[in-house]
Amino acid sequence: MFPVTDYLKFLFSATNEHGVHSPFVYGYLTRCLYRKPRLHRDKALDVLLKSIPYFKVKTMGLPQSSPGIKELVGAAYPEIRFQQPPYDLLYLEAPDPAIIREAMEEPAQLHNDSLCIIQGIHADKMAGVLWREVRALEQVRVSIDGFFCGLVFFRRQQAEQHFKIRI
């Protein structure tokens, strides 16, 4: 469990859609993440479930996830194929730069429009360090720190940008 002070610091430094100057991220926030209703009480899983239809995800990688995630996504979106690269979405339950680096180096694992959602980026100090390592990877062009989860995009056509967003 994260300390309340870390969350309060995040709230003071984070912004909402009005502080975002990227049309791609602004559209994602307003047309997807800020839309009602919530699909799950866990904010990271809500982000996951809302992102699947927005990005028209067909394939999803779950390299370290519990079976519950696969069941949850499979029940809501039965057309999703799991563990069949290239992945439109990669979901990690903890920050792990090695898994992302491996997926980027392995041909045909991720593509330009892939999204990586990482749960628990502020769960403890080590998770925060690993999240910063993920953001620093050369292939990462856009990152969104939503406190409960982090989102990483590899869009080569976009300038490198990192956001802290209240989700």
PDB file of all heavy atoms in Angstrom, residues 61-87:
ATOM      1  N   GLY A  61      -0.791  -9.230 -24.566  1.00  0.00           N
ATOM      2  CA  GLY A  61       0.232 -10.003 -23.883  1.00  0.00           C
ATOM      3  C   GLY A  61       0.099  -9.856 -22.380  1.00  0.00           C
ATOM      4  O   GLY A  61      -0.103  -8.758 -21.865  1.00  0.00           O
ATOM      5  N   LEU A  62       0.191 -10.970 -21.668  1.00  0.00           N
ATOM      6  CA  LEU A  62       0.109 -11.000 -20.203  1.00  0.00           C
ATOM      7  C   LEU A  62       1.297 -11.793 -19.663  1.00  0.00           C
ATOM      8  O   LEU A  62       1.124 -12.887 -19.142  1.00  0.00           O
ATOM      9  CB  LEU A  62      -1.200 -11.659 -19.760  1.00  0.00           C
ATOM     10  CG  LEU A  62      -2.497 -10.983 -20.168  1.00  0.00           C
ATOM     11  CD1 LEU A  62      -3.681 -11.915 -19.996  1.00  0.00           C
ATOM     12  CD2 LEU A  62      -2.695  -9.715 -19.381  1.00  0.00           C
ATOM     13  N   PRO A  63       2.516 -11.255 -19.764  1.00  0.00           N
ATOM     14  CA  PRO A  63       3.683 -12.060 -19.406  1.00  0.00           C
ATOM     15  C   PRO A  63       3.783 -12.464 -17.941  1.00  0.00           C
ATOM     16  O   PRO A  63       4.395 -13.459 -17.622  1.00  0.00           O
ATOM     17  CB  PRO A  63       4.868 -11.186 -19.803  1.00  0.00           C
ATOM     18  CG  PRO A  63       4.332  -9.823 -19.937  1.00  0.00           C
ATOM     19  CD  PRO A  63       2.876  -9.939 -20.240  1.00  0.00           C
ATOM     20  N   GLN A  64       3.196 -11.698 -17.024  1.00  0.00           N
ATOM     21  CA  GLN A  64       3.347 -12.019 -15.607  1.00  0.00           C
ATOM     22  C   GLN A  64       2.031 -11.901 -14.839  1.00  0.00           C
ATOM     23  O   GLN A  64       2.024 -11.839 -13.630  1.00  0.00           O
ATOM     24  CB  GLN A  64       4.404 -11.099 -14.973  1.00  0.00           C
ATOM     25  CG  GLN A  64       4.071  -9.662 -15.143  1.00  0.00           C
ATOM     26  CD  GLN A  64       5.053  -8.682 -14.549  1.00  0.00           C
ATOM     27  OE1 GLN A  64       4.652  -7.590 -14.295  1.00  0.00           O
ATOM     28  NE2 GLN A  64       6.281  -9.016 -14.310  1.00  0.00           N
ATOM     29  N   SER A  65       0.936 -11.837 -15.562  1.00  0.00           N
ATOM     30  CA  SER A  65      -0.345 -11.561 -14.920  1.00  0.00           C
ATOM     31  C   SER A  65      -0.987 -12.809 -14.341  1.00  0.00           C
ATOM     32  O   SER A  65      -0.760 -13.918 -14.797  1.00  0.00           O
ATOM     33  CB  SER A  65      -1.303 -10.927 -15.918  1.00  0.00           C
ATOM     34  OG  SER A  65      -0.805  -9.690 -16.339  1.00  0.00           O
ATOM     35  N   SER A  66      -1.819 -12.561 -13.365  1.00  0.00           N
ATOM     36  CA  SER A  66      -2.582 -13.642 -12.766  1.00  0.00           C
ATOM     37  C   SER A  66      -3.677 -14.084 -13.725  1.00  0.00           C
ATOM     38  O   SER A  66      -4.115 -13.314 -14.580  1.00  0.00           O
ATOM     39  CB  SER A  66      -3.191 -13.173 -11.448  1.00  0.00           C
ATOM     40  OG  SER A  66      -4.128 -12.150 -11.692  1.00  0.00           O
ATOM     41  N   PRO A  67      -4.165 -15.315 -13.585  1.00  0.00           N
ATOM     42  CA  PRO A  67      -5.231 -15.801 -14.462  1.00  0.00           C
ATOM     43  C   PRO A  67      -6.503 -14.956 -14.367  1.00  0.00           C
ATOM     44  O   PRO A  67      -7.288 -14.908 -15.306  1.00  0.00           O
ATOM     45  CB  PRO A  67      -5.485 -17.226 -13.977  1.00  0.00           C
ATOM     46  CG  PRO A  67      -4.358 -17.580 -13.094  1.00  0.00           C
ATOM     47  CD  PRO A  67      -3.705 -16.312 -12.650  1.00  0.00           C
ATOM     48  N   GLY A  68      -6.699 -14.269 -13.254  1.00  0.00           N
ATOM     49  CA  GLY A  68      -7.888 -13.446 -13.082  1.00  0.00           C
ATOM     50  C   GLY A  68      -7.983 -12.324 -14.106  1.00  0.00           C
ATOM     51  O   GLY A  68      -9.083 -11.969 -14.540  1.00  0.00           O
ATOM     52  N   ILE A  69      -6.852 -11.764 -14.503  1.00  0.00           N
ATOM     53  CA  ILE A  69      -6.847 -10.690 -15.502  1.00  0.00           C
ATOM     54  C   ILE A  69      -7.324 -11.243 -16.847  1.00  0.00           C
ATOM     55  O   ILE A  69      -8.158 -10.643 -17.518  1.00  0.00           O
ATOM     56  CB  ILE A  69      -5.432 -10.087 -15.656  1.00  0.00           C
ATOM     57  CG1 ILE A  69      -4.919  -9.538 -14.332  1.00  0.00           C
ATOM     58  CG2 ILE A  69      -5.422  -9.022 -16.746  1.00  0.00           C
ATOM     59  CD1 ILE A  69      -5.654  -8.362 -13.788  1.00  0.00           C
ATOM     60  N   LYS A  70      -6.789 -12.391 -17.230  1.00  0.00           N
ATOM     61  CA  LYS A  70      -7.177 -13.006 -18.503  1.00  0.00           C
ATOM     62  C   LYS A  70      -8.669 -13.320 -18.510  1.00  0.00           C
ATOM     63  O   LYS A  70      -9.367 -13.084 -19.494  1.00  0.00           O
ATOM     64  CB  LYS A  70      -6.357 -14.270 -18.749  1.00  0.00           C
ATOM     65  CG  LYS A  70      -6.611 -14.898 -20.097  1.00  0.00           C
ATOM     66  CD  LYS A  70      -5.689 -16.067 -20.326  1.00  0.00           C
ATOM     67  CE  LYS A  70      -5.931 -16.687 -21.684  1.00  0.00           C
ATOM     68  NZ  LYS A  70      -5.037 -17.807 -21.949  1.00  0.00           N
ATOM     69  N   GLU A  71      -9.182 -13.844 -17.400  1.00  0.00           N
ATOM     70  CA  GLU A  71     -10.606 -14.163 -17.296  1.00  0.00           C
ATOM     71  C   GLU A  71     -11.467 -12.902 -17.371  1.00  0.00           C
ATOM     72  O   GLU A  71     -12.490 -12.884 -18.053  1.00  0.00           O
ATOM     73  CB  GLU A  71     -10.890 -14.916 -16.005  1.00  0.00           C
ATOM     74  CG  GLU A  71     -10.311 -16.319 -15.982  1.00  0.00           C
ATOM     75  CD  GLU A  71     -10.396 -16.977 -14.611  1.00  0.00           C
ATOM     76  OE1 GLU A  71     -11.047 -16.411 -13.697  1.00  0.00           O
ATOM     77  OE2 GLU A  71      -9.789 -18.046 -14.450  1.00  0.00           O
ATOM     78  N   LEU A  72     -11.049 -11.840 -16.681  1.00  0.00           N
ATOM     79  CA  LEU A  72     -11.788 -10.581 -16.673  1.00  0.00           C
ATOM     80  C   LEU A  72     -11.860  -9.993 -18.082  1.00  0.00           C
ATOM     81  O   LEU A  72     -12.938  -9.641 -18.561  1.00  0.00           O
ATOM     82  CB  LEU A  72     -11.109  -9.587 -15.725  1.00  0.00           C
ATOM     83  CG  LEU A  72     -11.697  -8.187 -15.667  1.00  0.00           C
ATOM     84  CD1 LEU A  72     -13.059  -8.211 -14.991  1.00  0.00           C
ATOM     85  CD2 LEU A  72     -10.751  -7.249 -14.938  1.00  0.00           C
ATOM     86  N   VAL A  73     -10.724  -9.912 -18.748  1.00  0.00           N
ATOM     87  CA  VAL A  73     -10.683  -9.350 -20.100  1.00  0.00           C
ATOM     88  C   VAL A  73     -11.422 -10.264 -21.081  1.00  0.00           C
ATOM     89  O   VAL A  73     -12.189  -9.791 -21.923  1.00  0.00           O
ATOM     90  CB  VAL A  73      -9.229  -9.113 -20.550  1.00  0.00           C
ATOM     91  CG1 VAL A  73      -9.161  -8.725 -22.012  1.00  0.00           C
ATOM     92  CG2 VAL A  73      -8.574  -8.044 -19.682  1.00  0.00           C
ATOM     93  N   GLY A  74     -11.206 -11.575 -20.967  1.00  0.00           N
ATOM     94  CA  GLY A  74     -11.860 -12.528 -21.863  1.00  0.00           C
ATOM     95  C   GLY A  74     -13.374 -12.494 -21.741  1.00  0.00           C
ATOM     96  O   GLY A  74     -14.090 -12.652 -22.730  1.00  0.00           O
ATOM     97  N   ALA A  75     -13.890 -12.273 -20.527  1.00  0.00           N
ATOM     98  CA  ALA A  75     -15.341 -12.199 -20.327  1.00  0.00           C
ATOM     99  C   ALA A  75     -15.919 -10.924 -20.940  1.00  0.00           C
ATOM    100  O   ALA A  75     -16.993 -10.946 -21.539  1.00  0.00           O
ATOM    101  CB  ALA A  75     -15.671 -12.269 -18.842  1.00  0.00           C
ATOM    102  N   ALA A  76     -15.190  -9.806 -20.799  1.00  0.00           N
ATOM    103  CA  ALA A  76     -15.676  -8.527 -21.326  1.00  0.00           C
ATOM    104  C   ALA A  76     -15.467  -8.409 -22.832  1.00  0.00           C
ATOM    105  O   ALA A  76     -16.273  -7.797 -23.532  1.00  0.00           O
ATOM    106  CB  ALA A  76     -14.981  -7.375 -20.609  1.00  0.00           C
ATOM    107  N   TYR A  77     -14.371  -8.994 -23.331  1.00  0.00           N
ATOM    108  CA  TYR A  77     -14.005  -8.888 -24.749  1.00  0.00           C
ATOM    109  C   TYR A  77     -13.585 -10.264 -25.264  1.00  0.00           C
ATOM    110  O   TYR A  77     -12.399 -10.556 -25.387  1.00  0.00           O
ATOM    111  CB  TYR A  77     -12.870  -7.873 -24.932  1.00  0.00           C
ATOM    112  CG  TYR A  77     -13.211  -6.514 -24.372  1.00  0.00           C
ATOM    113  CD1 TYR A  77     -12.703  -6.109 -23.136  1.00  0.00           C
ATOM    114  CD2 TYR A  77     -14.051  -5.645 -25.056  1.00  0.00           C
ATOM    115  CE1 TYR A  77     -13.029  -4.868 -22.608  1.00  0.00           C
ATOM    116  CE2 TYR A  77     -14.378  -4.408 -24.540  1.00  0.00           C
ATOM    117  CZ  TYR A  77     -13.860  -4.023 -23.308  1.00  0.00           C
ATOM    118  OH  TYR A  77     -14.189  -2.805 -22.796  1.00  0.00           O
ATOM    119  N   PRO A  78     -14.540 -11.116 -25.587  1.00  0.00           N
ATOM    120  CA  PRO A  78     -14.213 -12.494 -25.981  1.00  0.00           C
ATOM    121  C   PRO A  78     -13.408 -12.607 -27.277  1.00  0.00           C
ATOM    122  O   PRO A  78     -12.786 -13.642 -27.519  1.00  0.00           O
ATOM    123  CB  PRO A  78     -15.579 -13.171 -26.125  1.00  0.00           C
ATOM    124  CG  PRO A  78     -16.576 -12.088 -26.156  1.00  0.00           C
ATOM    125  CD  PRO A  78     -15.974 -10.878 -25.546  1.00  0.00           C
ATOM    126  N   GLU A  79     -13.391 -11.556 -28.084  1.00  0.00           N
ATOM    127  CA  GLU A  79     -12.654 -11.610 -29.348  1.00  0.00           C
ATOM    128  C   GLU A  79     -11.143 -11.410 -29.179  1.00  0.00           C
ATOM    129  O   GLU A  79     -10.371 -11.641 -30.112  1.00  0.00           O
ATOM    130  CB  GLU A  79     -13.210 -10.567 -30.338  1.00  0.00           C
ATOM    131  CG  GLU A  79     -12.951  -9.122 -29.956  1.00  0.00           C
ATOM    132  CD  GLU A  79     -13.877  -8.538 -28.898  1.00  0.00           C
ATOM    133  OE1 GLU A  79     -14.799  -9.234 -28.417  1.00  0.00           O
ATOM    134  OE2 GLU A  79     -13.679  -7.368 -28.533  1.00  0.00           O
ATOM    135  N   ILE A  80     -10.698 -11.009 -27.999  1.00  0.00           N
ATOM    136  CA  ILE A  80      -9.266 -10.774 -27.746  1.00  0.00           C
ATOM    137  C   ILE A  80      -8.505 -12.094 -27.790  1.00  0.00           C
ATOM    138  O   ILE A  80      -8.926 -13.085 -27.204  1.00  0.00           O
ATOM    139  CB  ILE A  80      -9.049 -10.129 -26.352  1.00  0.00           C
ATOM    140  CG1 ILE A  80      -9.717  -8.768 -26.289  1.00  0.00           C
ATOM    141  CG2 ILE A  80      -7.575 -10.031 -26.008  1.00  0.00           C
ATOM    142  CD1 ILE A  80      -8.898  -7.601 -26.714  1.00  0.00           C
ATOM    143  N   ARG A  81      -7.368 -12.083 -28.471  1.00  0.00           N
ATOM    144  CA  ARG A  81      -6.453 -13.233 -28.486  1.00  0.00           C
ATOM    145  C   ARG A  81      -5.308 -12.932 -27.528  1.00  0.00           C
ATOM    146  O   ARG A  81      -4.744 -11.837 -27.553  1.00  0.00           O
ATOM    147  CB  ARG A  81      -5.924 -13.473 -29.908  1.00  0.00           C
ATOM    148  CG  ARG A  81      -7.003 -13.903 -30.886  1.00  0.00           C
ATOM    149  CD  ARG A  81      -6.418 -14.250 -32.254  1.00  0.00           C
ATOM    150  NE  ARG A  81      -5.339 -13.379 -32.678  1.00  0.00           N
ATOM    151  CZ  ARG A  81      -5.466 -12.311 -33.470  1.00  0.00           C
ATOM    152  NH1 ARG A  81      -6.644 -11.969 -33.931  1.00  0.00           N
ATOM    153  NH2 ARG A  81      -4.421 -11.596 -33.808  1.00  0.00           N
ATOM    154  N   PHE A  82      -4.958 -13.909 -26.721  1.00  0.00           N
ATOM    155  CA  PHE A  82      -3.898 -13.725 -25.728  1.00  0.00           C
ATOM    156  C   PHE A  82      -2.622 -14.445 -26.167  1.00  0.00           C
ATOM    157  O   PHE A  82      -2.680 -15.520 -26.771  1.00  0.00           O
ATOM    158  CB  PHE A  82      -4.346 -14.281 -24.363  1.00  0.00           C
ATOM    159  CG  PHE A  82      -5.498 -13.523 -23.779  1.00  0.00           C
ATOM    160  CD1 PHE A  82      -6.798 -13.955 -23.981  1.00  0.00           C
ATOM    161  CD2 PHE A  82      -5.290 -12.373 -23.048  1.00  0.00           C
ATOM    162  CE1 PHE A  82      -7.868 -13.259 -23.451  1.00  0.00           C
ATOM    163  CE2 PHE A  82      -6.350 -11.670 -22.516  1.00  0.00           C
ATOM    164  CZ  PHE A  82      -7.645 -12.107 -22.718  1.00  0.00           C
ATOM    165  N   GLN A  83      -1.506 -13.846 -25.801  1.00  0.00           N
ATOM    166  CA  GLN A  83      -0.178 -14.424 -26.009  1.00  0.00           C
ATOM    167  C   GLN A  83       0.084 -14.769 -27.474  1.00  0.00           C
ATOM    168  O   GLN A  83       0.758 -15.747 -27.765  1.00  0.00           O
ATOM    169  CB  GLN A  83       0.022 -15.662 -25.124  1.00  0.00           C
ATOM    170  CG  GLN A  83      -0.256 -15.453 -23.647  1.00  0.00           C
ATOM    171  CD  GLN A  83       0.485 -14.292 -23.018  1.00  0.00           C
ATOM    172  OE1 GLN A  83      -0.070 -13.218 -22.893  1.00  0.00           O
ATOM    173  NE2 GLN A  83       1.724 -14.494 -22.628  1.00  0.00           N
ATOM    174  N   GLN A  84      -0.433 -13.970 -28.398  1.00  0.00           N
ATOM    175  CA  GLN A  84      -0.183 -14.155 -29.828  1.00  0.00           C
ATOM    176  C   GLN A  84       0.368 -12.850 -30.399  1.00  0.00           C
ATOM    177  O   GLN A  84      -0.386 -11.978 -30.804  1.00  0.00           O
ATOM    178  CB  GLN A  84      -1.471 -14.551 -30.553  1.00  0.00           C
ATOM    179  CG  GLN A  84      -2.002 -15.894 -30.154  1.00  0.00           C
ATOM    180  CD  GLN A  84      -3.290 -16.228 -30.895  1.00  0.00           C
ATOM    181  OE1 GLN A  84      -3.669 -15.600 -31.860  1.00  0.00           O
ATOM    182  NE2 GLN A  84      -3.969 -17.255 -30.406  1.00  0.00           N
ATOM    183  N   PRO A  85       1.698 -12.707 -30.413  1.00  0.00           N
ATOM    184  CA  PRO A  85       2.278 -11.453 -30.912  1.00  0.00           C
ATOM    185  C   PRO A  85       2.001 -11.254 -32.404  1.00  0.00           C
ATOM    186  O   PRO A  85       1.728 -12.224 -33.096  1.00  0.00           O
ATOM    187  CB  PRO A  85       3.773 -11.628 -30.659  1.00  0.00           C
ATOM    188  CG  PRO A  85       3.978 -12.994 -30.133  1.00  0.00           C
ATOM    189  CD  PRO A  85       2.673 -13.667 -29.983  1.00  0.00           C
ATOM    190  N   PRO A  86       2.070 -10.020 -32.856  1.00  0.00           N
ATOM    191  CA  PRO A  86       2.448  -8.812 -32.135  1.00  0.00           C
ATOM    192  C   PRO A  86       1.300  -8.339 -31.242  1.00  0.00           C
ATOM    193  O   PRO A  86       0.133  -8.445 -31.603  1.00  0.00           O
ATOM    194  CB  PRO A  86       2.742  -7.799 -33.242  1.00  0.00           C
ATOM    195  CG  PRO A  86       1.904  -8.241 -34.387  1.00  0.00           C
ATOM    196  CD  PRO A  86       1.824  -9.745 -34.283  1.00  0.00           C
ATOM    197  N   TYR A  87       1.663  -7.802 -30.095  1.00  0.00           N
ATOM    198  CA  TYR A  87       0.670  -7.377 -29.114  1.00  0.00           C
ATOM    199  C   TYR A  87       0.227  -5.945 -29.383  1.00  0.00           C
ATOM    200  O   TYR A  87       1.050  -5.053 -29.543  1.00  0.00           O
ATOM    201  CB  TYR A  87       1.233  -7.460 -27.691  1.00  0.00           C
ATOM    202  CG  TYR A  87       1.723  -8.830 -27.314  1.00  0.00           C
ATOM    203  CD1 TYR A  87       3.002  -9.012 -26.817  1.00  0.00           C
ATOM    204  CD2 TYR A  87       0.908  -9.950 -27.452  1.00  0.00           C
ATOM    205  CE1 TYR A  87       3.456 -10.272 -26.453  1.00  0.00           C
ATOM    206  CE2 TYR A  87       1.358 -11.207 -27.096  1.00  0.00           C
ATOM    207  CZ  TYR A  87       2.636 -11.355 -26.605  1.00  0.00           C
ATOM    208  OH  TYR A  87       3.083 -12.599 -26.262  1.00  0.00           O
TER     209      TYR A  87
END
